[in-house]
Amino acid sequence: MRPSPRAGAAEVPERRAHNLFEAAAAYVTACAEDDQDGIDEASAWVSPEALSFGVSELACRAVATLARERGTSPGAVARDLLGLPEA
């Protein structure tokens, strides 16, 4: 038996594509942690348009979840998170 051509060759990890929601989660987390390297990395995973959509979707889901937990409206939560006065 002859060894395969890849036998003994250094294994190179296969680069996996990230979806827009993974990119958005990583981007927002890096922003919250003031991690510029993480921001730059997540920004490179998808197009700027896809990242913007993912961040927007994450914000909507987060505000809706917090509103349910607090028993208040999404508008009140959004204004509170941004430090805006009550409407």
Side-chain angles (χ1 to χ4, degrees):
M1 269 193 186
R2 287 184 7 197
S4 73
R6 293 193 48 93
E11 291 289 323
V12 176
E14 199 172 302
R15 185 175 168 152
R16 184 177 72 80
H18 298 276
N19 72 39
L20 67 102
F21 296 116
E22 289 175 316
Y27 179 84
V28 169
T29 299
C31 287
E33 295 173 347
D34 197 25
D35 172 11
Q36 188 60 50
D37 290 337
I39 291 169
D40 294 342
E41 181 181 352
S43 295
W45 291 351
V46 295
S47 72
E49 295 82 10
L51 183 60
S52 178
F53 175 80
V55 169
S56 177
E57 184 65 23
L58 177 58
C60 290
R61 292 180 188 194
V63 166
T65 299
L66 284 172
R68 276 193 306 276
E69 288 176 358
R70 294 179 182 183
T72 188
S73 72
V77 170
R79 296 183 71 78
D80 180 51
L81 288 172
L82 293 170
L84 299 172
E86 292 182 24

